[in-house]
Amino acid sequence: TKFEPNGHKQTVNWCISQANAPQDKLQAFIDYGCGVVDCSTIQLGGRCYDPNTVEGHASYVLDLVYKKQNSCNTDVGIITTVDPSYEGCDYP
């Protein structure tokens, strides 16, 4: 939870891949999303490359696109209020 300057709580949401989303649909979203946002962080050597899974990479791209377009692709993504960031990989 972040706090706005007036002291009110601000709910922060992230868009991450659904647990049951088909791999091919997640990969298709990664391919689409990387044409819209910078995917260097999920490429080899990037801070969010590991774990090198379609689900992990799709979650990061879903969230970047969500932050840019204010829309979560509900075909493969789901909104969460739990920060998906992990060691070395900070979600925006």
Side-chain angles (χ1 to χ4, degrees):
T1 304
K2 293 185 178 176
F3 290 91
E4 296 175 359
N6 61 11
H8 288 99
K9 283 185 185 176
Q10 175 190 352
T11 302
V12 180
N13 294 328
W14 292 267
C15 176
I16 60 169
S17 56
Q18 297 172 11
N20 61 347
Q23 298 271 314
D24 59 331
K25 288 194 175 204
L26 290 173
Q27 185 60 56
F29 188 84
I30 293 170
D31 296 343
Y32 156 78
C34 289
V36 176
V37 296
D38 176 10
C39 286
S40 60
T41 50
I42 61 164
Q43 291 167 352
L44 186 60
R47 69 183 197 278
C48 298
Y49 177 75
D50 288 316
N52 181 15
T53 63
V54 172
E55 292 89 350
H57 291 177
S59 283
Y60 194 80
V61 176
L62 275 158
D63 192 60
L64 286 180
V65 172
Y66 171 62
K67 296 296 186 337
K68 181 174 181 153
Q69 299 179 346
N70 201 28
S71 173
C72 183
N73 181 321
T74 52
D75 288 341
V76 292
I78 188 169
I79 297 284
T80 182
T81 56
V82 178
D83 188 346
S85 300
Y86 54 91
E87 185 179 333
C89 178
D90 293 319
Y91 278 60

